[in-house]
């Protein structure tokens, strides 16, 4: 956790950390008005696995919130489990710092593009006037 935190902070990102899935969910609840641009979840956390936390996060928050799983587990079944729970990406330890930053930046850019598109589509919606009815005379 400290390695990723220092890597992201050195790249200019603001980082908040949680020691387990319960703390992560609590942080998200306490900051629901200003959700983070991205979440990094370790698969192996105390008290609640990253998979369990991911599942709960996806029930509570929109799919446009990027979630990248990080794990020493590199088997295809581990990755497929995370993707089945709709994580956006999966990094295995040990990882290349440049790749971590590239994947983080990609997810943040994709989220910004999605939000822009959603706003444009919202602006394109033309309100339909109410139907006029005439009362029988």
């Amino acid at each position: 956790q400290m390695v990723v935190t220092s890597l992201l902070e050195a790249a200019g990102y603001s980082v908040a950390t949680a020691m387990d899935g319960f703390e992560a969910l609590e942080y998200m609840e306490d900051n629901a008005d200003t959700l983070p641009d991205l979440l990094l979840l370790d698969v192996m956390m105390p008290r609640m696995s990253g998979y369990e936390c991911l599942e709960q996060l996806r029930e509570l928050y929109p799919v446009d919130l990027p979630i990248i799983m990080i794990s020493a587990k590199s088997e295809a079944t581990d990755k497929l489990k995370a993707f089945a729970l709709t994580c956006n990406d999966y990094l295995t330890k040990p990882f290349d710092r440049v790749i971590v930053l590239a994947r983080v930046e990609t997810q943040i850019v994709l989220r910004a593009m999605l939000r822009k598109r959603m706003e444009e589509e919202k602006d394109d919606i033309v309100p339909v006037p109410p139907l006029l009815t005439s009362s029988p005379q």
Side-chain angles (χ1 to χ4, degrees):
Q1 182 180 19
M2 292 173 56
V3 172
V4 174
T5 298
S6 62
L7 172 66
L8 294 173
E9 288 176 342
Y13 292 102
S14 174
V15 178
T17 60
M19 297 310 296
D20 60 41
F22 290 106
E23 276 188 29
L25 291 168
E26 183 178 326
Y27 174 86
M28 295 295 289
E29 183 179 324
D30 292 347
N31 295 281
D33 293 337
T34 55
L35 293 178
D37 292 323
L38 173 90
L39 292 178
L40 294 169
L41 284 179
D42 198 316
V43 169
M44 296 181 287
M45 295 187 292
R47 300 193 315 149
M48 176 189 292
S49 76
Y51 297 126
E52 292 168 309
C53 187
L54 172 60
E55 194 168 20
Q56 289 190 36
L57 286 165
R58 285 299 188 220
E59 289 175 10
L60 298 169
Y61 300 99
V63 294
D64 75 321
L65 176 63
I67 300 175
I68 299 176
M69 302 298 288
I70 297 180
S71 181
K73 294 183 170 198
S74 60
E75 295 294 319
T77 54
D78 299 310
K79 294 175 186 179
L80 289 172
K81 182 175 181 178
F83 286 120
L85 295 170
T86 67
C87 78
N88 296 81
D89 205 348
Y90 191 103
L91 293 166
T92 56
K93 299 175 189 176
F95 46 76
D96 184 315
R97 293 170 185 253
V98 175
I99 298 299
V100 171
L101 290 175
R103 289 185 174 186
V104 164
E105 183 64 23
T106 297
Q107 292 301 324
I108 290 172
V109 168
L110 288 172
R111 181 182 193 204
M113 290 170 60
L114 177 61
R115 285 186 160 187
K116 182 179 178 187
R117 174 99 184 226
M118 289 168 63
E119 283 298 316
E120 289 170 354
E121 288 177 5
K122 187 172 84 175
D123 291 342
D124 288 343
I125 296 173
V126 178
V128 177
L131 294 175
L132 296 176
T133 58
S134 59
S135 41
Q137 303 204 22

